[in-house]
């Protein structure tokens, strides 16, 4: 049975992994992906595209590049010659048009640069929330403290979400129960993609008048450069 290169779960003949959603075959030549590469190692087509789509995308990029090329304008000497030969004199307002166009291009470039910086910041803040096993665990504890089930589920591997979310059910706890992340104890790496993290957590409730510090042990799996929780002890 074939396994997914991204999460190592069995995928059968599915085009996409049923566990993590990773594309399993090249859409152009049906070559089976064995690594998380951007292009097919068999035909060179970009992952998720067919050869015709890739060629169309390249043509669009070339067309945009050609449209952005500056248009050559007649020199002032040519304009003077046309005037001396009886041609209509150059209108001063029209002569200033290229300068206005240049200013508009700079304005557009400035907007694109701002958007690119904003996108980079978004990627850094949200995608690096799971950049290390410790970050994933800390964010999970914070989501527990806020009782944010959706945020907790997003940090758990899809195939383990239902089981683990049943283990962290809050129905038997006081409404004011707090989960305070105190720090990380031991961190063990079984491999480059499997890690075990010991987290020190303080659980308290004012209504119950209780407060206790306990350790949670997390098992995590790295999928596409993000660490996901697969078990909690």
């Amino acid at each position: 049975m074939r396994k997914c290169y991204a999460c190592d779960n069995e995928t059968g003949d599915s085009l996409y992994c049923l566990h993590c959603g990773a594309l399993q075959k090249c859409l152009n030549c049906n070559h089976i992906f064995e690594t998380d590469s951007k292009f097919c190692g068999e035909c060179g087509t970009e992952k998720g595209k067919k050869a015709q789509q890739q060629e169309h995308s390249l043509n669009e990029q070339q067309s945009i590049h050609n449209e952005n090329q500056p248009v050559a304008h007649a020199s002032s000497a040519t304009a003077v010659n046309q005037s001396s030969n009886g041609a209509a004199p150059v209108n001063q307002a029209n002569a200033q048009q290229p300068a206005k166009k240049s200013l508009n291009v700079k304005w557009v470039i400035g907007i694109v640069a701002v958007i690119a910086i904003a996108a980079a910041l978004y990627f850094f803040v949200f995608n690096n929330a799971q950049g290390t096993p410790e970050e994933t665990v800390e964010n999970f504890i914070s989501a527990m403290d806020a009782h944010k089930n959706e945020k907790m589920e997003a940090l758990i591997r899809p195939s383990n979400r239902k089981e683990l979310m049943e283990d962290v059910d809050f129905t038997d706890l006081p409404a004011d129960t707090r989960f305070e992340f105190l720090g990380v104890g031991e961190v063990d790496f079984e491999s480059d993609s499997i890690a075990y993290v010991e987290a020190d957590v303080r659980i308290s409730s004012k209504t119950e008048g209780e407060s206790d510090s306990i350790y949670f042990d997390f098992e995590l799996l790295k999928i596409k450069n993000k660490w996901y929780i697969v078990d909690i002890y």
Side-chain angles (χ1 to χ4, degrees):
M1 181 69 69
R2 191 176 75 244
K3 292 187 177 182
C4 173
Y5 65 86
C7 65
D8 203 33
N9 281 291
E10 294 182 353
T11 62
D13 294 328
S14 299
L15 182 59
Y16 293 90
C17 177
L18 301 178
H19 302 278
C20 69
L23 182 64
Q24 301 297 304
K25 300 179 181 178
C26 174
L27 298 181
N28 186 58
C29 68
N30 287 327
H31 176 69
I32 298 176
F33 295 125
E34 297 180 355
T35 60
D36 187 16
S37 57
K38 185 175 181 180
F39 296 91
C40 175
E42 188 70 19
C43 67
T45 303
E46 185 176 353
K47 183 181 290 184
K49 293 184 177 180
K50 295 184 179 180
Q52 293 178 348
Q53 294 175 326
Q54 181 167 310
E55 182 179 355
H56 179 67
S57 177
L58 292 174
N59 289 338
E60 285 186 344
Q61 294 177 11
Q62 183 63 37
S63 176
I64 294 174
H65 174 75
N66 292 338
E67 290 177 358
N68 291 333
Q69 293 301 311
V71 179
H73 298 280
S75 64
S76 57
T78 303
V80 171
N81 290 336
Q82 290 177 344
S83 179
S84 63
N85 291 332
V90 177
N91 186 287
Q92 293 298 325
N94 292 334
Q96 295 178 359
Q97 289 301 318
K100 292 182 180 179
K101 184 175 182 179
S102 177
L103 290 176
N104 290 336
V105 170
K106 291 181 179 179
W107 182 73
V108 171
I109 292 175
I111 292 178
V112 172
V114 172
I115 294 174
I117 293 173
L121 290 174
Y122 177 88
F123 178 84
F124 178 80
V125 172
F126 290 95
N127 284 276
N128 283 283
Q130 296 172 249
T132 66
E134 297 90 333
E135 289 175 344
T136 299
V137 169
E138 181 176 358
N139 287 322
F140 185 82
I141 299 299
S142 298
M144 286 181 62
D145 184 53
H147 292 199
K148 299 293 186 180
N149 288 354
E150 291 184 0
K151 291 185 178 181
M152 293 165 60
E153 290 177 355
L155 298 169
I156 302 174
R157 186 174 65 172
S159 58
N160 300 98
R161 284 174 184 167
K162 182 178 180 181
E163 178 183 356
L164 291 186
M165 289 304 296
E166 290 176 354
D167 293 339
V168 292
D169 185 14
F170 301 111
T171 55
D172 295 332
L173 298 176
D176 67 340
T177 301
R178 298 296 307 274
F179 297 87
E180 181 183 357
F181 178 75
L182 300 179
V184 172
E186 296 182 1
V187 179
D188 296 323
F189 287 88
E190 182 175 315
S191 66
D192 292 338
S193 59
I194 300 177
Y196 299 89
V197 176
E198 181 185 67
D200 188 8
V201 181
R202 184 189 305 279
I203 303 178
S204 60
S205 170
K206 290 184 178 180
T207 57
E208 295 292 331
E210 296 181 355
S211 178
D212 192 16
S213 177
I214 63 174
Y215 283 96
F216 285 102
D217 292 318
F218 292 83
E219 180 182 352
L220 300 99
L221 177 67
K222 189 176 184 181
I223 304 174
K224 293 185 177 181
N225 296 323
K226 288 186 178 182
W227 287 93
Y228 291 89
I229 297 171
V230 297
D231 204 355
I232 304 175
Y233 308 95

